[in-house]
């Protein structure tokens, strides 16, 4: 069969290459305590949707449940802290943040509690009192820090832990942590299903109150926007990207940012025009002989002559996926206005005797170089990522059109008619059952497509339509 390709060429948008389409990722509920809190949900929500910190019903209303669960292939212990995660271990344990506290006479803590935790990996309750950010007063695990292990099985009861006397010094903050496994000793094996449920946390001999310690109030964590048809590093605490309304064209562009979450490390903003399968980035931009050039617009705020980068990876398709065969990196220097970059990859691949079936594109807000570290504050705006030579300007709102295609007769001896539902403009490809492309055809303002299979052998054929409404696929049996 002859491969039909139009002789004209147009500049066509890669799927969401203009970053117009974004999806709101609803995260999870979190106790509304009026202070900054932290839980293991922030580590696990973006893997497979598993949550190990949840709101539950308690004998007196609602309570908090932390549980050891699988997030993907990783077993993650549940924990909740009325502050932030500690940056040291042992007697140097120090939690950031906390809620106001001022009593030096406090002698203990109580809570309604239910748990089931194996002795091989005990959970614990931890309480830390601080003044001016430094733990103060008595403690059984260093100054101002008390730790009480939890193991075995306990039905709902009120448990009280004694500090062994008053705190002895005046604090200004307190942090409380609830953990359902031994997260401080890495050699301890977590056990799936281990849990702790708590409610009604109170201090003994103190006027200080744990804010919302009855866990009646909950609120949703602020949603995160993710770009369609792209892969980004999702981190609710340290975002390195955001949709930006200062675009070269359209409503939005992609903003990548180089940030410094901690004093000793820097995080670079990245986006891949690709797909993610089992945590691996795989190409989703398919190539054919009509495509020669990649183009995009960028605007770069460079700190201390920082350099951004785009890396294009080319692949050959094999039976079980794709294998990379060629890489190209392009440095992006600082500029004050939108600038267009054009890269003729077809010529370069031909010169290097490389054939490619697909590509992925990765942008970084800072490039790692031996002579210079990424500079905090550098920001890269991206818009209009496109390939030249596609058959038409294809930029659907979503990948797929709802509803199936009507195809008749099916099976067929010769011609088949396919109803697209509405008049569409685009093209379609025909594949045999082994996935080999046999034909490609363009159409304009057509609802009904008639295709002749009379010269084809008996078997199953796949028709993939890409048009102004999205992508639709149907199969036809040739008798």
């Amino acid at each position: 069969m002859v491969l039909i390709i139009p002789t004209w060429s147009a500049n066509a948008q890669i799927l969401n290459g203009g970053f117009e389409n974004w999806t709101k990722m609803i995260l999870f509920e979190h106790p509304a305590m009026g202070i900054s809190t932290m839980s293991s949900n922030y580590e696990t929500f973006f893997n497979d949707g598993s949550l190990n910190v949840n709101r539950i019903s308690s004998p007196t209303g609602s309570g908090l449940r932390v549980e050891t669960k699988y997030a993907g292939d990783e077993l993650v212990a549940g924990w909740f802290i009325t502050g932030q995660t500690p940056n040291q271990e042992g007697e140097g344990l120090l939690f950031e943040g906390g809620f106001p506290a001022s009593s030096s006479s406090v002698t203990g803590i109580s809570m309604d509690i239910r748990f089931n935790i194996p002795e091989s990996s005990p959970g614990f309750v931890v309480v830390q009192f601080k003044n001016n950010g430094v733990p103060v007063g008595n403690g059984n695990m260093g100054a101002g820090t008390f730790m009480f292990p939890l193991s075995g099985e306990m039905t709902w009861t009120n448990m009280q832990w004694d500090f062994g006397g008053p705190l002895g010094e005046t604090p200004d903050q307190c942090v409380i942590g609830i953990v359902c496994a031994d997260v401080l000793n890495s050699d301890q094996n977590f056990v799936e299903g281990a849990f702790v449920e708590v409610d009604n946390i109170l201090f003994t001999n103190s006027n200080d109150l744990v804010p919302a310690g009855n866990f009646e109030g909950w609120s949703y964590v602020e949603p995160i926007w993710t770009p369609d048809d792209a892969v980004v590093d999702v981190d609710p605490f340290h975002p390195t990207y955001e949709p930006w309304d200062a675009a070269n064209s359209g409503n939005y562009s992609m903003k990548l940012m180089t940030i410094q979450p901690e004093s000793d490390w820097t995080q670079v903003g990245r986006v891949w025009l690709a797909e993610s399968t089992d945590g691996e980035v795989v190409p989703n931009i398919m190539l054919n002989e009509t495509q020669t050039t990649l183009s995009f617009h960028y605007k770069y705020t460079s700190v201390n002559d920082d350099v951004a980068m785009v890396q294009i990876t080319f692949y050959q398709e094999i039976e079980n996926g794709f294998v990379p065969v060629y890489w190209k990196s392009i440095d992006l220097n600082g500029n004050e206005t939108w600038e267009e970059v054009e890269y003729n990859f077809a010529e370069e691949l031909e010169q290097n005797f490389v054939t490619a079936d697909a590509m992925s594109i990765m942008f970084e807000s800072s490039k790692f170089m031996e002579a210079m570290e990424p500079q905090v504050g550098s920001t890269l705006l991206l818009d209009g990522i496109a390939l030249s030579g596609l058959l038409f300007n294809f930029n659907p709102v979503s990948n797929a059109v709802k509803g199936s295609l009507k195809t008749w007769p099916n099976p067929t001896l010769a011609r088949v008619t396919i109803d697209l539902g509405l008049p569409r403009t685009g093209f379609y490809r025909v594949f045999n059952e082994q996935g080999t492309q046999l034909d490609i055809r363009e159409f304009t303002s057509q609802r009904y497509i008639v295709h002749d299979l009379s010269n084809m052998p008996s078997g199953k054929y796949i028709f993939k339509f890409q048009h102004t409404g999205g992508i639709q696929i149907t199969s036809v049996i040739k008798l």
Side-chain angles (χ1 to χ4, degrees), residues 102-108 163 165-171 204-207:
S102 60
S103 176
S104 62
S105 62
V106 59
T107 59
F163 292 166
L167 184 63
E169 294 190 40
T170 302
T204 308
N205 295 325
S206 172
N207 292 324

Side-chain angles (χ1 to χ4, degrees), residues 105-111 127 129 138-140 145-148 159-167 202-205:
S105 62
V106 59
T107 59
I109 190 171
S110 68
M111 65 186 70
V127 185
F129 295 94
N138 298 318
N140 64 8
T145 306
F146 301 88
M147 184 169 289
F148 306 102
M159 292 190 69
Q160 301 186 33
W161 291 278
D162 187 12
F163 292 166
L167 184 63
L202 296 170
F203 288 123
T204 308
N205 295 325

Side-chain angles (χ1 to χ4, degrees), residues 40-104:
S40 50
N41 279 351
Y42 287 97
E43 293 185 338
T44 61
F45 79 90
F46 51 86
N47 289 336
D48 67 352
S50 297
L51 298 177
N52 51 12
V53 178
N54 291 285
R55 182 179 187 174
I56 51 96
S57 295
S58 73
T60 59
S62 66
L64 171 81
R65 177 184 174 97
V66 298
E67 180 180 359
T68 299
K69 294 180 66 174
Y70 274 101
D73 296 330
E74 183 181 3
L75 197 58
V76 179
W79 47 266
F80 173 81
I81 304 170
T82 62
Q84 301 299 306
T85 53
N87 54 16
Q88 297 182 47
E89 297 182 0
E91 293 197 356
L93 198 70
L94 175 63
F95 295 89
E96 300 292 337
F99 57 88
S102 60
S103 176
S104 62

Side-chain angles (χ1 to χ4, degrees), residues 84-259:
Q84 301 299 306
T85 53
N87 54 16
Q88 297 182 47
E89 297 182 0
E91 293 197 356
L93 198 70
L94 175 63
F95 295 89
E96 300 292 337
F99 57 88
S102 60
S103 176
S104 62
S105 62
V106 59
T107 59
I109 190 171
S110 68
M111 65 186 70
D112 296 337
I113 193 166
R114 172 177 176 256
F115 57 84
N116 190 343
I117 303 175
E119 294 183 359
S120 61
S121 184
F124 56 86
V125 172
V126 62
V127 185
Q128 184 174 79
F129 295 94
K130 300 177 295 178
N131 188 292
N132 201 25
V134 178
V136 295
N138 298 318
N140 64 8
M141 194 183 171
T145 306
F146 301 88
M147 184 169 289
F148 306 102
L150 301 172
S151 64
E153 186 173 359
M154 178 69 69
T155 59
W156 277 110
T157 189
N158 182 264
M159 292 190 69
Q160 301 186 33
W161 291 278
D162 187 12
F163 292 166
L167 184 63
E169 294 190 40
T170 302
D172 60 14
Q173 276 186 321
C174 180
V175 172
I176 299 173
I178 313 293
V179 188
C180 66
D182 187 358
V183 297
L184 298 181
N185 294 311
S186 59
D187 58 342
Q188 297 289 341
N189 293 324
F190 297 158
V191 177
E192 183 181 9
F195 72 89
V196 180
E197 296 176 350
V198 299
D199 196 6
N200 301 318
I201 303 176
L202 296 170
F203 288 123
T204 308
N205 295 325
S206 172
N207 292 324
D208 293 331
L209 297 176
V210 179
N214 59 3
F215 296 103
E216 292 302 306
W218 290 68
S219 62
Y220 280 102
V221 173
E222 188 70 21
I224 292 176
W225 290 93
T226 58
D228 295 351
D229 303 296
V231 179
V232 289
D233 294 320
V234 178
D235 187 332
F237 276 111
H238 310 120
T240 57
Y241 75 90
E242 59 183 313
W244 199 244
D245 57 8
N248 179 63
S249 63
N251 296 315
Y252 298 102
S253 62
M254 165 66 78
K255 181 180 181 180
L256 300 178
M257 302 168 286
T258 301
I259 64 172

